[in-house]
Amino acid sequence: MREEAVEAALGKLGLDAKAKLLGGQDMWSLPALPEIGLRSLVMSDGPVGVRGVRWSADDPSIALPSPTALAATWDPELARRAGRLLAQEARRKHVHVLLAPTVNLHRSPLGGRHFECYSEDPYLTGEIGSGCVNGVQDGGVGTTVKHFVANDAETDRFTVDNIITSRPLRELYLAPFEAIVKNAHPWGIMAAYNQVNGVTMTEHRYLQNEVLRGEWGFDGYIVSDWMAARSTTGDIEGGLDVAMPGPATVYGDALAGAVRAGQVDEAVVDDAVRNVLRLAARVGILEGAPPVVTELPEEIDGQALAREVARRAFVLVRNENRVLPIDPSRTRKLALIGAAARDARVLGGGSATVFPERVVAPLDGLAAALPDATLTYAVGADPSDELSPADKGFALQAVCRDAGGAVIGSRSLPGGQVQWIGDDLPDGVTYGTLHSVEVKGTFTPRESGEHAFGTRGLGAFTLTVAGEVLYDGVQAMSDASDPFEAFFGAPAERGRVRLTAGEPVEVSLVHPVGATDDAPLPAVMFSFLHGAPQRDADELIAEAVVAARDADTAVVVVATTERVESEGFDRTDLSLPGRQDDLVRAVAAANPNTVVIVNSGSPVEMPWREDVAAVLLSWFPGQEGGAALADVLLGVAEPGGRLPTTWPVALADVPVSEVVPTDGELHYREGLFVGYRAWDKGGVAPAYAFGHGLGYTTWEYESLEVTPATAKVRVRNTGSRAGREVVQVYLAPPADSVERPVRWLAGFGSVEAGAGEWAEAEIALPARAFEIWDERSDSWSFVPGAYEVRTGRSIADTRLVATLDLQG
């Protein structure tokens, strides 16, 4: 019935209406077509939460942990529950399609958007991604799996040509997309900015039409990444259904004109419209077509699930002398150290940004969980050495005025950043009437001293703090190589004011808005920046040492910043910013019970890792991260995570680190050998291997039974408390007849057992695990021979081995 309704609607449309439907009408939606009973289709960013169509905190969003964290749970069913929560949030915000999940691979730890992807392994990525897609679509909301394909770094991502031979393209980079299409039937795919082997992805007829639609049977819609569609005929003939955002796109009038000029067959347009109408039918906005979901899942407590995912994602990579969990009954004094302990970074920068109603930092979580203990706090070291958008202590709103100075609209701000794109303007405001925006409000300092203030953006600014004009001038466009920095401007300090803690002052930043007539997408984007008083770095470390020396346990939180990990640029190193390494070394020397929490979305170097008692990776842990951290540190819950990607000792050891193109091309010269596959080939031991993670109990692997389709593993909890074990299965041919990695992940499963109890995991071994892409025949080929089936706690911790002898 749904397909009949789609065909009936398509038959009623003329060429102009069809072409119009394929281009965005604004930043986030497609036009309604009342003549066929089609409502406007609304999309939203959403890997960690659903922001909706406005850059505003007026309608807060649940902020889940980063995708790296979700993958660290190794639990597709938990990913499905997270997806159902995202669907619930989407429905609340009247969003029909989520622009998520991101299933590009961790090809290099330098990838700036590493935190937004799941893993270096295509099988784990496909399983977690399938769980997420199933969950979102369980709730009647569409998904858009992205970025198809090989958008594995940010440098020159709009133009880079990624050169990849067919075998690694199939076995690694396409594999998660293929698995998700077959296992979860997503309703959408997003085409990436980049080229693959000389063809822009939005125009890639072979990958989009022949592989995605033809071989895999994908029947959803393909949408461009924002501003990625560049050719009317190239895109429509290459399989791109929707060009976003609007209203100016390569479709619409241009597409209708191309059909009339005989450059495009109208049947090709019909195919694209059919895909869009099918999506509309599935989400329930096409009259006469029943939605896929008519009975919604049970409502989910968003805060509770965010807390559960966070603690299940934390990876305990070191725990000497079982310093964790901390026994509250024996802990008189706990020292909490680090700027990120007070102001945790809970999500990555870029399009993944959402604005939660609350954020529980480590200091908040531990203070609530330890009411009877003495909890001391010291900054120790600040990871940021530059100004950032106004946040803690600021109460701000954006006031819009016309050319005569009259107020025409206003909106509260989640911080000092204004980012209004397309029609995302305060109610009553249009680009035609908007002349200036004033960010104004109050600032109540947490610390006395000299506070720095500044701006980021292009154009004229007048900055006033406590009645003093700190800056009145114009910021010109820079020649920065990074397009984001060139467009948004670099952060610039404009002046300093000495303020007293607890005493509020008035602040104002006025920015005249320039003409947007020539812009492909009108926007107002600038930031009011702030920097807390800078104290001597050695003095801060010394204070932390005093606090640590006087405590039973010292907990140090180290972190990256938004200028280190974000969409729009890649990393240049894996070092923690600022003096954080020095801080950890000093605290560890003062207290043998030093626990380090690493608040980053992707790997960092930890040169002190063997000098501290415990290291816990918290990723970007979402809005409830501090509460989850207290649960884990105090033993209310065990850290459930296992590494979804290899953590190196140092960048110099990383086998694949090239992310910068040469003459516009980035050659994936490593072929099949990325992640643990490359580490095995190079013979260099990482700091922590793929799959590694410690719990609060111990496990014995008692038996392994294998068939060509399954591995049955029996494990026993030999510790003193209940726990959960992630049972991992790898294949390793002892003598291979083709070039393949030494070993690769073939399956995994999780079990729970009480102290002394046993449990059994039955893990499917997919047929694809025994196949390679044969470049001569352009097809999948089974490789016969002997396979060692290895099961254990990580790729480097094998507990049992069995052998399969498979013949073709």
Side-chain angles (χ1 to χ4, degrees):
M1 184 176 178
R2 194 176 303 116
E3 286 300 311
E4 288 84 345
V6 166
E7 292 301 325
L10 176 61
K12 296 176 183 177
L13 294 177
L15 175 60
D16 290 316
K18 289 186 284 191
K20 176 184 176 183
L21 179 60
L22 302 182
Q25 68 175 350
D26 53 28
M27 185 67 179
W28 300 113
S29 69
L30 298 183
L33 297 178
E35 63 268 32
I36 59 170
L38 175 66
R39 304 204 306 272
S40 176
L41 182 93
V42 180
M43 312 170 206
S44 172
D45 283 322
V48 300
V50 184
R51 188 172 63 246
V53 300
R54 298 202 159 200
W55 188 268
S56 169
D58 291 342
D59 184 13
S61 308
I62 294 291
L64 291 169
S66 62
T68 39
L70 187 60
T73 69
W74 289 60
D75 190 340
E77 277 306 308
L78 184 60
R80 188 166 192 157
R81 289 171 55 208
R84 286 178 173 174
L85 173 62
L86 292 174
Q88 179 178 299
E89 286 280 280
R91 293 193 308 272
R92 182 174 64 81
K93 290 173 176 274
H94 308 292
V95 167
H96 305 115
V97 178
L98 205 59
L99 303 174
T102 304
V103 300
N104 300 111
L105 293 188
H106 295 167
R107 176 177 171 266
S108 166
L110 293 178
R113 218 164 172 178
H114 190 291
F115 63 88
E116 197 179 315
C117 309
Y118 291 130
S119 172
E120 69 189 22
D121 181 76
Y123 180 75
L124 178 59
T125 297
E127 290 294 294
I128 299 297
S130 293
C132 179
V133 167
N134 278 322
V136 174
Q137 294 181 177
D138 284 347
V141 174
T143 54
T144 310
V145 185
K146 62 185 187 181
H147 308 86
F148 190 73
V149 62
N151 184 181
D152 308 302
E154 294 294 281
T155 303
D156 296 344
R157 63 174 172 158
F158 299 95
T159 57
V160 62
D161 185 5
N162 294 322
I163 309 300
I164 316 169
T165 58
S166 63
R167 190 172 166 206
L169 181 61
R170 290 282 188 158
E171 294 185 23
L172 298 177
Y173 302 101
L174 287 172
F177 291 94
E178 180 182 9
I180 293 168
V181 167
K182 293 183 175 179
N183 297 333
H185 197 64
W187 300 344
I189 297 283
M190 181 185 289
Y193 292 116
N194 53 276
Q195 301 175 58
V196 171
N197 298 330
V199 182
T200 299
M201 275 310 306
T202 57
E203 305 171 36
H204 214 303
R205 186 182 309 188
Y206 170 68
L207 289 177
Q208 294 188 142
N209 283 343
E210 296 183 33
V211 176
L212 177 58
R213 295 197 190 280
E215 293 181 26
W216 301 350
F218 174 69
D219 68 351
Y221 87 128
I222 301 175
V223 61
S224 71
D225 204 340
W226 267 226
M227 308 297 292
R230 299 154 198 162
S231 166
T232 299
T233 57
D235 286 326
I236 195 69
E237 292 180 348
L240 185 75
D241 299 318
V242 173
M244 289 295 290
T249 78
V250 297
Y251 287 169
D253 291 342
L255 179 56
V259 173
R260 291 189 173 104
Q263 298 168 339
V264 173
D265 189 329
E266 189 169 353
V268 176
V269 176
D270 287 348
D271 285 341
V273 173
R274 187 176 286 111
N275 293 329
V276 174
L277 293 176
R278 183 179 297 118
L279 172 65
R282 284 169 168 165
V283 300
I285 61 170
L286 179 63
E287 190 176 296
V292 171
V293 176
T294 56
E295 186 173 338
L296 295 173
E298 185 177 341
E299 187 166 342
I300 295 172
D301 182 329
Q303 290 184 0
L305 184 59
R307 184 170 181 169
E308 179 184 351
V309 173
R311 65 193 184 200
R312 290 276 304 278
F314 291 159
V315 182
L316 183 62
V317 294
R318 179 177 173 85
N319 193 20
E320 294 300 292
N321 301 317
R322 297 193 180 179
V323 66
L324 293 181
I326 297 167
D327 185 347
S329 67
R330 298 183 180 180
T331 302
R332 298 174 299 103
K333 293 183 178 180
L334 183 71
L336 185 60
I337 298 164
R342 181 178 63 181
D343 300 320
R345 187 171 179 204
V346 300
L347 45 82
S351 61
T353 302
V354 296
F355 306 108
E357 186 175 20
R358 71 171 198 169
V359 171
V360 182
L363 183 57
D364 304 323
L366 283 168
L370 291 170
D372 299 325
T374 301
L375 179 64
T376 59
Y377 171 72
V379 173
D382 192 334
S384 179
D385 59 358
E386 62 181 28
L387 306 189
S388 57
D391 187 12
K392 297 293 189 295
F394 287 85
L396 301 172
Q397 64 173 333
V399 178
C400 300
R401 294 184 173 87
D402 63 18
V407 175
I408 55 176
S410 65
R411 179 184 292 177
S412 64
L413 288 180
Q417 188 173 12
V418 175
Q419 185 166 307
W420 302 335
I421 305 175
D423 290 345
D424 180 17
L425 292 171
D427 291 342
V429 179
T430 67
Y431 288 102
T433 58
L434 180 61
H435 182 265
S436 69
V437 179
E438 180 184 13
V439 175
K440 63 180 296 186
T442 60
F443 171 50
T444 305
R446 294 188 295 188
E447 301 153 305
S448 297
E450 195 174 58
H451 289 253
F453 297 88
T455 63
R456 186 180 189 187
L458 304 179
F461 294 96
T462 302
L463 174 62
T464 307
V465 176
E468 179 184 353
V469 177
L470 300 184
Y471 178 74
D472 189 2
V474 177
Q475 175 66 52
M477 181 174 288
S478 75
D479 59 357
S481 60
D482 176 72
F484 275 70
E485 189 154 298
F487 183 72
F488 298 126
E493 183 178 319
R494 303 303 188 184
R496 299 189 175 204
V497 179
R498 186 166 293 278
L499 301 174
T500 303
E503 294 186 6
V505 296
E506 292 188 354
V507 296
S508 167
L509 177 64
V510 178
H511 174 54
V513 176
T516 60
D517 296 342
D518 297 333
L521 191 66
V524 179
M525 305 180 78
F526 68 96
S527 296
F528 177 24
L529 307 180
H530 168 256
Q534 295 295 302
R535 294 180 54 200
D536 180 77
D538 291 331
E539 183 179 311
L540 288 176
I541 291 175
E543 287 181 359
V545 167
V546 170
R549 189 177 292 129
D550 193 40
D552 299 304
T553 304
V555 177
V556 184
V557 184
V558 297
T560 58
T561 69
E562 192 164 319
R563 295 286 282 172
V564 174
E565 290 186 86
S566 178
E567 178 181 354
F569 55 86
D570 291 313
R571 300 161 76 186
T572 56
D573 59 52
L574 301 181
S575 302
L576 286 167
R579 295 280 302 278
Q580 294 181 99
D581 287 335
D582 293 339
L583 170 66
V584 173
R585 290 189 185 98
V587 170
N591 190 324
N593 291 330
T594 293
V595 177
V596 181
I597 314 302
V598 182
N599 181 194
S600 71
S602 48
V604 296
E605 293 176 355
M606 299 180 286
W608 33 259
R609 70 190 185 285
E610 294 183 354
D611 301 328
V612 300
V615 179
L616 183 70
L617 312 181
S618 71
W619 313 106
F620 295 146
Q623 67 175 65
E624 304 299 316
L629 181 62
D631 291 341
V632 166
L633 290 180
L634 302 178
V636 175
E638 70 170 349
R642 305 292 185 267
L643 286 180
T645 201
T646 307
W647 277 51
V649 173
L651 177 59
D653 299 332
V654 172
V656 180
S657 59
E658 186 181 19
V659 293
V660 178
T662 301
D663 297 327
E665 295 182 347
L666 184 61
H667 290 257
Y668 285 37
R669 294 184 177 88
E670 69 281 354
L672 298 171
F673 299 96
V674 298
Y676 62 79
R677 295 163 167 82
W679 286 93
D680 274 349
K681 184 179 181 182
V684 178
Y688 301 108
F690 177 81
H692 174 65
L694 307 172
Y696 288 158
T697 188
T698 55
W699 296 88
E700 180 181 341
Y701 281 58
E702 294 186 335
S703 65
L704 168 63
E705 299 176 18
V706 299
T707 73
T710 60
K712 194 177 292 185
V713 187
R714 176 167 161 154
V715 296
R716 185 176 297 277
N717 181 346
T718 56
S720 58
R721 58 178 286 164
R724 173 178 176 267
E725 175 73 337
V726 177
V727 180
Q728 303 166 38
V729 176
Y730 298 87
L731 297 181
D736 215 342
S737 59
V738 296
E739 183 185 40
R740 280 190 291 188
V742 173
R743 49 195 168 171
W744 58 91
L745 181 69
F748 62 90
S750 60
V751 295
E752 296 181 0
E757 296 177 350
W758 64 271
E760 190 170 77
E762 186 165 344
I763 298 166
L765 301 180
R768 182 60 58 79
F770 301 94
E771 296 175 340
I772 66 166
W773 181 258
D774 188 329
E775 294 180 330
R776 293 169 300 180
S777 65
D778 274 342
S779 63
W780 291 101
S781 176
F782 169 72
V783 181
Y787 289 86
E788 287 185 352
V789 181
R790 302 177 179 180
T791 186
R793 309 202 70 241
S794 77
I795 197 169
D797 185 1
T798 299
R799 299 299 179 90
L800 296 171
V801 179
T803 300
L804 281 174
D805 192 359
L806 302 180
Q807 300 306 316

